[in-house]
Amino acid sequence: MAESENTRITGYSKPQGGGTGCLVVIHAPDRRMLGAHLPLARAEVILGRDAGCDLVLDADDVSRRHARVQADGRGHELEDLGSTNGSFVGDERVSSRSLLPGDLIRLGSVVLKYLAGDDVEALYHSELKRLAQEDPLTGIAHKGTFQDALAREVARAHRHGSALAVAILDVDHFKAVNDRYGHLAGDHVLRELPLLVRPLVRAEQLLARVGGEELALLLPDVTLEKAALFAEKVRHFVEAHAFLFQGERIAVTVSIGVAALLPDDRDGDALLARADARLYQAKRDGRNRVSF
């Protein structure tokens, strides 16, 4: 499908090689938007919800003419056009800002990645491969990747008689965070939470986003007791961390359910079900705790 003069998020031509750069959608309310891109061949492009924009973003929290990206001699600059919800580069609200390769741009609930370099097409296809394996908001593995890894580890544990544990953690009162601080603040918490937990996770372990505000940890060769101790360390780190958004501190805690593989578990479904049941037990017991 050829690129039109003014087009919606689908239907762009292949990005061309060279250093012109492009924007790639990596998070949006409508998953069909993921991976769509806008080559930045023109001196200026307009982003927003209005049909006349160069890149039309169909999201209620995006303004009709939200932002512009223009060439600045060295690369590109993002400029907010007086939008209601602001334009962000990373977690910083900006009025104008020069873009660096790899920068994440947030316009409402839509997140775009700025690609620039000698071979934009190669970067674009590399980004598509990453999107296929990772959750676009948090940058960690998504549910499908987690389920594939779980199936492999269950088979390996049964074959070798080794331990395997799973921990599922859920942000407490997440709806209240969104209601009080806004959905952009909720997204900020969801992005920062994996950054906090990931340094604790070993190379052979896996951290994934498996639901709206649910993360899961796959822990090969870890017993139930050790998994519970690890989960308690994670819980404490989250409780003690200062989640800051636009100068406000958001109090965040998590409830965690932990379970271990049993000899008669034929697959990972029963293991996940037990971890999930213990997560809800932690919720019933008052939240901000580990149940195992």
Side-chain angles (χ1 to χ4, degrees):
M1 183 174 178
E3 183 179 354
S4 60
E5 184 71 16
N6 299 103
T7 183
R8 289 191 176 272
I9 199 74
T10 55
Y12 298 119
S13 59
K14 281 179 65 178
Q16 302 299 310
T20 57
C22 73
L23 299 175
V24 182
V25 177
I26 66 169
H27 178 71
D30 185 349
R31 291 190 62 82
R32 291 173 297 180
M33 296 166 68
L34 299 181
H37 75 282
L38 175 68
L40 297 174
R42 302 179 191 173
E44 175 184 283
V45 296
I46 304 298
L47 317 175
R49 191 159 43 88
D50 190 273
C53 292
D54 297 292
L55 180 57
V56 180
L57 304 176
D58 288 322
D60 291 341
D61 52 5
V62 172
S63 295
R64 292 189 177 279
R65 288 171 58 87
H66 198 112
R68 102 172 85 225
V69 175
Q70 53 192 350
D72 66 1
R74 296 162 305 189
H76 293 89
E77 180 182 60
L78 175 75
E79 179 186 355
D80 184 74
L81 298 177
S83 65
T84 301
N85 292 317
S87 299
F88 293 77
V89 177
D91 289 321
E92 179 186 355
R93 185 167 184 164
V94 299
S95 56
S96 64
R97 162 90 175 263
S98 292
L99 296 173
L100 298 174
D103 271 347
L104 298 183
I105 299 167
R106 288 194 293 113
L107 310 179
S109 55
V110 177
V111 182
L112 306 103
K113 189 169 189 176
Y114 172 62
L115 300 181
D118 293 334
D119 192 343
V120 171
E121 184 173 354
L123 291 170
Y124 172 68
H125 287 291
S126 174
E127 190 64 23
L128 288 185
K129 182 177 180 181
R130 187 192 67 79
L131 281 174
Q133 298 174 326
E134 295 181 356
D135 172 66
L137 178 64
T138 61
I140 59 176
H142 58 44
K143 186 175 182 179
T145 302
F146 180 84
Q147 289 176 325
D148 289 345
L150 176 63
R152 291 194 301 270
E153 290 301 332
V154 167
R156 188 182 74 86
H158 281 320
R159 187 164 60 249
H160 298 290
S162 54
L164 176 64
V166 165
I168 301 178
L169 63 97
D170 183 88
V171 179
D172 295 326
H173 301 297
F174 186 69
K175 183 179 183 300
V177 172
N178 282 331
D179 290 346
R180 179 175 178 181
Y181 300 100
H183 288 277
L184 292 178
D187 284 351
H188 170 76
V189 169
L190 291 179
R191 284 193 304 273
E192 190 158 338
L193 184 58
L195 295 177
L196 183 64
V197 176
R198 191 150 44 186
L200 305 176
V201 179
R202 299 200 304 262
E204 70 274 15
Q205 299 169 346
L206 179 66
L207 175 65
R209 184 186 183 195
V210 295
E213 60 268 18
E214 281 192 5
L215 306 185
L217 283 156
L218 182 61
L219 306 170
D221 300 310
V222 175
T223 64
L224 179 64
E225 292 75 15
K226 288 183 178 180
L229 290 173
F230 179 73
E232 176 58 29
K233 186 175 183 179
V234 169
R235 185 207 64 77
H236 174 73
F237 266 50
V238 175
E239 183 182 28
H241 182 69
F243 288 83
L244 297 175
F245 182 74
Q246 295 184 15
E248 286 199 76
R249 177 167 181 162
I250 304 173
V252 177
T253 62
V254 293
S255 298
I256 308 178
V258 182
L261 187 70
L262 299 178
D264 57 352
D265 287 340
R266 298 180 61 182
D267 53 37
D269 290 346
L271 173 57
L272 283 179
R274 286 196 301 277
D276 201 50
R278 287 164 183 167
L279 167 63
Y280 283 98
Q281 184 62 52
K283 296 280 190 181
R284 288 192 295 271
D285 289 343
R287 295 182 170 83
N288 190 23
R289 64 194 62 224
V290 175
S291 178
F292 65 98

